[in-house]
Amino acid sequence: MPFSGQYRNLDPALSADGRRLYYSSYRPLSDSPGDTATRADTWYVDRLGAGWGAPRRIDGPVNSPAIDMYPSPTRGGALYFDSFHSPSGQRLVYRAAPDGRDGWHAPGLLPRTINSDSGASNLFVDPDERYVIFATRMPDGFGGADLHISWRDGAGWTAPLNLVVASTQLTSSSARACRMTAGCSTRAIPSGGPPRERNIHMIRLDLLVDHERRALR
């Protein structure tokens, strides 16, 4: 990508219409030689014709003095993301509502249903906010951070379901993150492995999600 390569960039996430790409970056805030980045912030680039515009750091309350990363946008303009800016420094997941001016209001912490005592991270939100998939350590897990799913339930969220336990396609080697591919309901799952070794798996989570959702009704 033309805007990548010089600095460490990670966690790309396309908007539902494909016109904006959000990502985490350690790039400096300006071109000044004395401006060196010491943390990740959330940035984005807009689609311009067949290419992309210049990288822009999100202004306002989304980016804090701490690490803010792993953005996941919704169709309605809300932005979910991980942050270490809590008083305890724990990695937790937040939601920032759109302000109607191409910006966001102050983010709110997701409830303890998702942000458990062990924290939460790498959250993917369905574009219509019907469910979220995120990594956390739970008593029903395998000791590491497993992927869990929680469905929207009125103003709250259902108790998380461990996808590693529920799926025969995932293993106990800590599946930690997911993204939805464009145009279909599959997910890319980076999973843990031996030191310096990670794998990416493509699986059909849509069938599992629908099956487990029906089972809860």
Side-chain angles (χ1 to χ4, degrees):
M1 303 292 278
F3 53 86
S4 187
Q6 184 176 0
Y7 305 103
R8 185 185 179 196
N9 301 315
L10 59 162
D11 311 328
L14 273 173
S15 61
D17 62 4
R19 303 298 303 171
R20 176 171 288 182
L21 177 66
Y22 296 88
Y23 62 101
S24 309
S25 181
Y26 285 83
R27 67 188 304 125
L29 304 184
S30 71
D31 294 329
S32 169
D35 186 358
T36 58
T38 59
R39 68 184 189 277
D41 280 332
T42 297
W43 294 66
Y44 68 86
V45 289
D46 286 326
R47 172 72 77 178
L48 295 178
W52 296 94
R56 297 186 60 182
R57 180 180 178 270
I58 290 181
D59 293 327
V62 169
N63 282 316
S64 71
I67 293 174
D68 305 287
M69 62 191 306
Y70 213 87
S72 188
T74 72
R75 197 182 313 276
L79 190 67
Y80 288 68
F81 62 98
D82 297 0
S83 179
F84 289 82
H85 80 252
S86 68
S88 66
Q90 190 177 27
R91 185 173 181 174
L92 300 170
V93 180
Y94 295 78
R95 179 187 186 274
D99 64 5
R101 302 184 300 276
D102 202 28
W104 292 267
H105 294 292
L109 185 66
L110 267 62
R112 285 183 59 83
T113 306
I114 294 171
N115 284 311
S116 64
D117 291 340
S118 62
S121 62
N122 298 352
L123 182 141
F124 164 81
V125 61
D126 168 70
D128 297 311
E129 298 186 84
R130 297 170 300 176
Y131 60 86
V132 292
I133 300 174
F134 58 99
T136 190
R137 289 176 173 85
M138 292 281 188
D140 63 351
F142 297 93
D146 297 328
L147 285 179
H148 289 70
I149 185 170
S150 179
W151 284 271
R152 173 71 75 179
D153 184 18
W157 300 90
T158 63
L161 170 73
N162 190 318
L163 287 177
V164 177
V165 173
S167 173
T168 59
Q169 296 173 285
L170 295 177
T171 70
S172 60
S173 58
S174 294
R176 299 185 180 182
C178 72
R179 290 295 192 195
M180 182 173 68
T181 58
C184 61
S185 296
T186 61
R187 305 294 191 271
I189 312 292
S191 68
R196 300 181 179 275
E197 181 178 324
R198 296 290 176 88
N199 300 308
I200 296 178
H201 305 280
M202 293 293 296
I203 70 169
R204 288 291 301 270
L205 276 190
D206 57 328
L207 301 179
L208 174 63
V209 166
D210 290 343
H211 172 76
E212 298 298 333
R213 183 55 172 157
R214 289 194 299 269
L216 291 177
R217 290 175 179 171

